Amino acid sequence: MATSDDRSALLETIPDVRDGLTRTERVILYVLRETQRELGGRNVPTAMLYGRVLEYADMSERELHLYLDRLGVKGDGS
């Protein structure tokens, strides 16, 4: 029988059937959108995003950059 930790790990890695996003990807996009609203639509500094994402998910800065690359989030206005 799968434990609660096993189930949580599985939910972290399997994309949702509705949109293909994992829980972590969804958290990153949610935090990005909310922070952008707070900043009046301006770009969100990666350091600020990272600090806020850490409130929901444990990851390294490198992992955040990998997720952002996979999600197509571009920095420096490009």
Side-chain angles (χ1 to χ4, degrees):
M1 181 128 214
T3 65
S4 177
D5 289 338
D6 293 339
R7 186 168 191 265
S8 294
L10 188 62
L11 291 175
E12 287 290 327
T13 57
I14 295 179
D16 191 296
V17 69
R18 295 171 292 181
D19 55 14
L21 296 175
T22 64
R23 178 189 172 277
T24 303
E25 291 167 338
R26 190 179 317 284
V27 164
I28 291 169
L29 290 175
Y30 170 77
V31 172
L32 178 61
R33 184 185 71 211
E34 291 300 310
T35 306
Q36 203 166 26
R37 275 189 198 158
E38 288 177 26
L39 297 176
R42 293 189 348 239
N43 290 338
V44 177
T46 306
M48 179 185 283
L49 178 64
Y50 178 61
R52 292 179 180 212
V53 167
L54 283 180
E55 295 177 16
Y56 298 93
D58 184 31
M59 69 176 62
S60 69
E61 190 175 345
R62 178 166 167 68
E63 287 176 302
L64 176 65
H65 283 281
L66 292 173
Y67 277 112
L68 292 175
D69 289 344
R70 187 170 41 225
L71 292 168
V73 177
K74 302 291 182 198
D76 301 323
S78 55

